[in-house]
Amino acid sequence: MRLPVLLCVSLCLSAAPGPVAGADRSCTDLRQFYTGKGFTLVEVPQTEISGEHLRMCPQGPTCCTSTMEENLGGLSAQETEGLIREAGRSLQSAFNALHRGFDTYFTELHVRSERSLQEVLSPLGPLYSQNTRLYGDLYADLRQYYRGSALNLDETLSEFWSRLLERTFKISAPTEVTLSEDYLECVAKQQETLRPFGDVPRDMRAKLIRAFVTARSFVQGLIVSGEVVRKVSQVHLSPECMKALMKLVYCPHCRGIASVKPCSNYCSNVIKGCLANQADLNPEWQNLIDTMIQVASSFSTEPSLDVVLSSIPARIYEAVHFLQDNMDTFTARVYQACGTPGEPGTGSPPLHEQRKKSGSLTASEYKPSPTAGLRLEMQVSDLSSKLREMRQYWTQLPVALCSKLAAGGAGQDKCWNGVTKARYLPEVMGDGLANQINNPEVELDITKPDMTIRQQIMQLKIMSNRLKNALDGNDVDFQDASDDISGSGSGMCVGGQCPRNRPGLYAYPPDNNRVRGAAASQTRLSGLLLLFPLATLLLQR
């Protein structure tokens, strides 16, 4: 009889509404934590309550009300977004530093080259002293192009050589001969057909365009990369992600085990789910970084960037020296093409015999200082190494975030696995939206990508293509116009009759249909690229 009685008493005691193990557990620690996060203690329990009301955390004895769970859920998303923006700002700062460093280096090269003009070209006498603005305008145009101005370098250089040919011919002509503007225009048009400056204009054009196109595109690549990081880092996390983050970060507090850190694999699945769209940037991001490294390496390829910029004055000198040495032959051929200048009835004037013979400096003898070469080598090495560090950013971002949120490697058996203090068993998902189809922690519709991020992926593709074109010396802004390597200024006056309407210096002719057509086609392409994500979104609905 005694055994059934004892069992009955035991059952009755267990069914009584008396204290259960942990029912009187104090919520003091959570109350302190909660107020420390900026919330008030209104309706915050003093001791644990039943947890049937919980929607994000596992149900069970808890110190969190529904309002607290909602508040902490929103806070977890805000804090994680803050960590993402902080990481993005750090990467932006790195890109800005690379931009400042390269821009300073390139600008100093440009300034030193321009400063050496007087030293190198002063032996040309009046041809330098009376035309300093012509040389200065060339450097100004190169500077503006590097800064992003919509100049056509091919046309700019061709116009420079045409104007320099006019000035050289005019100074070399007999003083008693008056050369009209029309006649000088005809002389300038012989630039391509008679090649008065030898091979210098064509060779210098190829090297200068390659140097400036790659430098400008490289700088644009750094700017675009930083902008992509800024925009993507501001994308808000989804409500499903907020729930998963709450469960990961603050549910241990609600369960009274605040000291237990989340399991690292558990954290990885949550963050990979939350940043699935961002991880889809990775292929195009790596492509862009790799292409920028290629462009940076090309700066030291012969002829290196510092040699090309620093030798501009020497190449100009070499070209003028070549023309002066061959002025008699050139003048005779100009007379054949443009007619004989001078007043009617004066006959053919004698060719100018007193040519100014200058020194023997040529661009082929130009050698930059060993210090300049070493500085370029250091610049390229620094750019390449720092860009490589950024290559895995989007796939390493979850790792970086979980290093702040999750337990270390030694505590994987006694960590928060989303339910209790134990090992986390599910496998870790791959990177990107498509790999989240079986993510156990974050609910995602993999058929609905984030359109803001898709637009940034397109920006990365466009910039990569621009850089690849730059490696070949092609500026995509003027790809159509650069098909004709002769540039402007070519052509022949027929019977001494030359066009009177000279286009403005470094300006497009009003009827430049090729450039206008290229711009129009580029505008249409941009419109189609913007419509494509919208059409995709509508089809998904």
Side-chain angles (χ1 to χ4, degrees), residues 83 87 393 395-405:
L83 291 175
Y393 176 77
T395 53
Q396 291 298 313
L397 186 55
V399 178
L401 294 180
C402 284
S403 69
K404 299 182 179 182
L405 299 174

Side-chain angles (χ1 to χ4, degrees), residues 165-174 177 179 181 184 327:
L165 178 58
E166 288 181 10
R167 312 291 171 84
T168 309
F169 187 83
K170 187 174 183 179
I171 287 177
S172 299
V177 174
L179 300 176
E181 284 294 307
L184 289 174
M327 184 61 81

Side-chain angles (χ1 to χ4, degrees), residues 243-535:
K243 295 175 185 177
L245 286 169
M246 170 61 193
K247 188 177 175 184
L248 174 78
V249 178
Y250 288 131
C251 285
H253 291 267
C254 292
R255 294 300 299 271
I257 50 173
S259 61
V260 180
K261 287 278 191 177
C263 303
S264 60
N265 285 353
Y266 171 39
C267 180
S268 292
N269 275 344
V270 172
I271 301 300
K272 284 191 176 190
C274 290
L275 299 182
N277 282 282
Q278 286 84 338
D280 281 343
L281 287 157
N282 192 56
E284 286 303 328
W285 177 263
Q286 289 190 2
N287 186 30
L288 177 58
I289 295 295
D290 289 343
T291 309
M292 282 200 287
I293 292 172
Q294 277 184 276
V295 172
S297 298
S298 75
F299 295 147
S300 57
T301 302
E302 293 298 332
S304 61
L305 193 64
D306 57 338
V307 170
V308 172
L309 265 71
S310 301
S311 64
I312 293 174
R315 299 309 308 269
I316 294 173
Y317 175 92
E318 182 184 356
V320 174
H321 197 270
F322 180 90
L323 174 59
Q324 289 179 331
D325 282 345
N326 297 278
M327 184 61 81
D328 290 348
T329 302
F330 176 70
T331 302
R333 296 181 68 181
V334 166
Y335 288 174
Q336 290 177 1
C338 303
T340 303
E343 296 298 328
T346 58
S348 252
L351 298 179
H352 199 270
E353 296 177 357
Q354 295 183 351
R355 310 296 179 202
K356 178 151 183 84
K357 300 299 180 183
S358 307
S360 58
L361 173 67
T362 63
S364 59
E365 296 168 352
Y366 174 81
K367 300 290 183 186
S369 68
T371 306
L374 180 61
R375 187 178 176 196
L376 175 59
E377 185 178 334
M378 291 175 62
Q379 184 76 219
V380 170
S381 176
D382 184 57
L383 287 169
S384 299
S385 63
K386 287 180 178 174
L387 285 170
R388 285 191 187 94
E389 293 173 4
M390 303 169 179
R391 193 173 181 275
Q392 302 289 339
Y393 176 77
W394 298 109
T395 53
Q396 291 298 313
L397 186 55
V399 178
L401 294 180
C402 284
S403 69
K404 299 182 179 182
L405 299 174
Q412 296 308 302
D413 287 327
K414 297 180 179 180
C415 51
W416 172 249
N417 65 6
V419 178
T420 186
K421 180 180 178 181
R423 175 175 287 274
Y424 182 75
L425 299 178
E427 64 175 337
V428 177
M429 299 293 102
D431 298 309
L433 188 59
N435 286 318
Q436 307 310 310
I437 189 169
N438 294 317
N439 193 317
E441 308 305 336
V442 185
E443 294 182 12
L444 287 170
D445 184 349
I446 66 170
T447 66
K448 294 182 179 180
D450 184 282
M451 300 314 295
T452 298
I453 292 178
R454 298 293 138 173
Q455 289 169 357
Q456 296 312 305
I457 291 174
M458 182 61 69
Q459 289 299 315
L460 295 175
K461 286 183 179 180
I462 292 170
M463 193 65 241
S464 294
N465 288 334
R466 179 185 291 268
L467 285 163
K468 287 171 184 174
N469 274 283
L471 283 170
D472 297 327
N474 299 322
D475 186 344
V476 293
D477 290 338
F478 299 106
Q479 203 167 13
D480 198 34
S482 65
D483 290 341
D484 179 8
I485 63 171
S486 64
S488 62
S490 61
M492 185 77 72
C493 298
V494 180
Q497 299 301 312
C498 303
R500 291 181 175 272
N501 296 326
R502 174 181 299 187
L505 205 59
Y506 313 135
Y508 291 116
D511 60 346
N512 195 341
N513 293 323
R514 297 177 65 193
V515 174
R516 189 183 301 117
S521 63
Q522 198 169 36
T523 303
R524 287 193 294 271
L525 177 59
S526 300
L528 287 173
L529 291 177
L530 289 173
L531 285 173
F532 178 73
L534 180 59

Side-chain angles (χ1 to χ4, degrees), residues 169-281:
F169 187 83
K170 187 174 183 179
I171 287 177
S172 299
T175 55
E176 66 273 14
V177 174
T178 301
L179 300 176
S180 66
E181 284 294 307
D182 285 347
Y183 193 87
L184 289 174
E185 180 70 16
C186 182
V187 171
K189 288 183 179 295
Q190 311 314 307
Q191 177 189 328
E192 286 296 328
T193 54
L194 302 182
R195 295 173 58 199
F197 295 116
D199 292 329
V200 173
R202 189 178 297 271
D203 182 62
M204 183 174 160
R205 169 201 169 278
K207 291 172 181 176
L208 266 183
I209 287 180
R210 175 180 170 272
F212 276 83
V213 167
T214 52
R216 180 166 92 155
S217 298
F218 183 75
V219 166
Q220 288 175 343
L222 294 174
I223 293 171
V224 167
S225 299
E227 274 297 291
V228 168
V229 173
R230 182 184 68 81
K231 291 177 181 178
V232 172
S233 298
Q234 291 176 346
V235 172
H236 292 294
L237 300 175
S238 67
E240 292 76 20
C241 178
M242 183 194 77
K243 295 175 185 177
L245 286 169
M246 170 61 193
K247 188 177 175 184
L248 174 78
V249 178
Y250 288 131
C251 285
H253 291 267
C254 292
R255 294 300 299 271
I257 50 173
S259 61
V260 180
K261 287 278 191 177
C263 303
S264 60
N265 285 353
Y266 171 39
C267 180
S268 292
N269 275 344
V270 172
I271 301 300
K272 284 191 176 190
C274 290
L275 299 182
N277 282 282
Q278 286 84 338
D280 281 343
L281 287 157

Side-chain angles (χ1 to χ4, degrees), residues 44-212:
V44 177
Q46 296 285 347
T47 58
E48 281 187 339
I49 58 176
S50 174
E52 291 86 353
H53 58 278
L54 297 176
R55 294 294 177 267
M56 304 182 204
C57 297
Q59 294 184 347
T62 183
C63 285
C64 289
T65 64
S66 295
T67 301
M68 293 172 67
E69 187 184 38
E70 186 177 336
N71 289 341
L72 290 173
L75 179 64
S76 66
Q78 290 174 19
E79 290 177 339
T80 305
E81 287 174 347
L83 291 175
I84 295 170
R85 285 194 295 271
E86 181 184 342
R89 281 193 293 268
S90 177
L91 187 58
Q92 281 180 262
S93 297
F95 276 116
N96 290 339
L98 289 179
H99 180 208
R100 283 194 303 271
F102 178 78
D103 183 65
T104 299
Y105 170 75
F106 189 85
T107 302
E108 286 177 1
L109 279 181
H110 191 279
V111 169
R112 280 202 302 270
S113 178
E114 187 172 12
R115 284 175 180 169
S116 68
L117 272 172
Q118 183 175 2
E119 178 186 351
V120 177
L121 298 184
S122 57
L124 297 178
L127 191 55
Y128 169 71
S129 60
Q130 296 177 15
N131 295 292
T132 55
R133 182 169 181 177
L134 176 65
Y135 305 115
D137 284 347
L138 173 63
Y139 275 89
D141 283 342
L142 292 174
R143 186 183 301 110
Q144 287 178 23
Y145 175 83
Y146 167 71
R147 295 293 182 202
S149 177
L151 285 172
N152 186 325
L153 274 187
D154 199 10
E155 290 184 1
T156 296
L157 291 171
S158 184
E159 186 72 12
F160 167 76
W161 291 113
S162 296
R163 301 288 80 82
L164 183 60
L165 178 58
E166 288 181 10
R167 312 291 171 84
T168 309
F169 187 83
K170 187 174 183 179
I171 287 177
S172 299
T175 55
E176 66 273 14
V177 174
T178 301
L179 300 176
S180 66
E181 284 294 307
D182 285 347
Y183 193 87
L184 289 174
E185 180 70 16
C186 182
V187 171
K189 288 183 179 295
Q190 311 314 307
Q191 177 189 328
E192 286 296 328
T193 54
L194 302 182
R195 295 173 58 199
F197 295 116
D199 292 329
V200 173
R202 189 178 297 271
D203 182 62
M204 183 174 160
R205 169 201 169 278
K207 291 172 181 176
L208 266 183
I209 287 180
R210 175 180 170 272
F212 276 83

